[in-house]
Amino acid sequence: MTDQGPAEPDRSTIRLALVVGGLVLAVLLGFGLGRLNDNGAVTGSPSLAAEHTDPPGVAPHNHGSATTTDQGAATEPGGLAVSSAGFTVVPLATEFAAGRPGQLRFQVRDAQRRPVTRFAIVHDKPMHLIVVRRDLTGYQHLHPTMAADGTWSVPLTLAQPGLWRAYADFTVVADNGAQTAVTLGTDLVAPGDYRPRPLPGPTTSTTVDGFTVGYQGTPQAGTTVPLTFRVDGAGGAAPLERYLGAYGHLVALREGDLGYLHVHPETELVDGQIRFWLTTPGPGRYRLYLDFQVNAEVRTAEFTLTVP
């Protein structure tokens, strides 16, 4: 008997194996893709608060910009729309009685209209809410809490009648751990006799609760420049404390459309001062709001800035 060697499989067997393998691969791919929705948001699951980290080497930067250039400089501010990047802010009520304590409740929903429940911790909080009247008065920096169903709530008093703007500033965490920073804006109203106040003239120094706050720097449209803030008390430089993980928080709102910029500072003080790197997206007048903390109390210094 001669050795015939191992028998070769016939062609029909090979074709059958290829078909079965292709079906298994298709099922596996379909399962994996089905775990992600169109925008990668995680919904319908317990709340996850992941720590937000920027890539190594990223300098202090604007947060809340809707569009950025290849160099990372903002070309448009955020907060101009209720929907962006596949997410929508949905307030459960928008009318408040002027001067009366109320409760603002809202959800962030994904492209399938499902409440989002997974957010990263950014500056010690998963949600930063900025509220201001459309004449740029009545500024408030609030931190809502979220229920299991994705509904955020926070006590809110709109001190004066008028139209108000609320900015939800947050970072969504996707299934794969990717983080998407978004700033969405929605209007609130306090019915009554609305008498808008004129915006104060530009200044680089102001006082608040006995502290003198001033800044140095000349912002230019489309260019990132440093703004350095100094806070002085009766005896000289104030002993600044970290608030929400930083020595200061700076929000800039553009007059007219109320475009929003939230600017992160350098991690340490520079000669006892707070240094930010600000990119203004275009010319116009901006209102700056600097939050700082001394003796466990947070105060806000306000400035008007004109960018030529």
Side-chain angles (χ1 to χ4, degrees), residues 38-103:
D38 291 345
N39 52 46
V42 180
T43 59
S45 59
S47 174
L48 170 66
E51 192 69 29
H52 171 75
T53 56
D54 294 310
V58 173
H61 56 284
N62 293 347
H63 188 223
S65 302
T67 308
T68 59
T69 65
D70 292 339
Q71 291 74 32
T75 57
E76 283 299 330
L80 296 175
V82 297
S83 295
S84 180
F87 301 100
T88 302
V89 60
V90 182
L92 304 188
T94 59
E95 185 171 312
F96 292 76
R100 289 188 178 182
Q103 191 84 3

Side-chain angles (χ1 to χ4, degrees), residues 107-243:
Q107 292 181 335
V108 175
R109 297 179 183 172
D110 65 13
Q112 285 74 43
R113 304 292 294 170
R114 299 173 300 190
V116 179
T117 58
R118 300 184 69 182
F119 299 83
I121 299 295
V122 181
H123 283 284
D124 291 351
K125 299 291 181 180
M127 176 71 68
H128 296 264
L129 184 76
I130 303 298
V131 179
V132 67
R133 201 167 71 157
R134 281 197 165 268
D135 60 359
L136 300 178
T137 63
Y139 169 89
Q140 301 178 58
H141 184 168
L142 307 173
H143 301 106
T145 56
M146 189 187 73
D149 66 352
T151 299
W152 294 89
S153 61
V154 65
L156 176 64
T157 300
L158 303 183
Q160 301 293 332
L163 294 174
W164 294 71
R165 189 72 172 170
Y167 303 88
D169 184 343
F170 56 89
T171 297
V172 175
V173 181
D175 269 340
N176 62 2
Q179 300 183 8
T180 303
V182 186
T183 302
L184 304 177
T186 187
D187 283 339
L188 308 174
V189 61
D193 184 13
Y194 174 40
R195 298 185 181 184
R197 300 176 187 174
L199 197 63
T203 181
T204 59
S205 181
T206 189
T207 59
V208 52
D209 293 343
F211 293 94
T212 299
V213 185
Y215 75 85
Q216 292 181 326
T218 305
Q220 304 173 38
T223 302
T224 301
V225 299
L227 284 188
T228 303
F229 288 81
R230 179 182 177 88
V231 181
D232 286 310
L240 294 170
E241 302 163 349
R242 290 188 183 273
Y243 166 59

Side-chain angles (χ1 to χ4, degrees), residues 8-24:
E8 295 182 3
D10 57 36
R11 293 182 178 180
S12 61
T13 302
I14 294 175
R15 285 197 298 270
L16 178 60
L18 291 173
V19 170
V20 172
L23 289 173
V24 171

Side-chain angles (χ1 to χ4, degrees), residues 282-294:
R285 292 204 298 175
Y286 294 77
R287 191 67 169 165
L288 306 181
Y289 306 88
L290 173 70
D291 293 332
F292 65 94
Q293 180 172 300
V294 178

Side-chain angles (χ1 to χ4, degrees), residues 247-264:
Y247 282 106
H249 293 272
L250 182 65
V251 168
L253 298 178
R254 185 166 63 186
E255 183 185 35
D257 62 3
L258 272 66
Y260 170 95
L261 297 173
H262 183 183
V263 193
H264 294 176

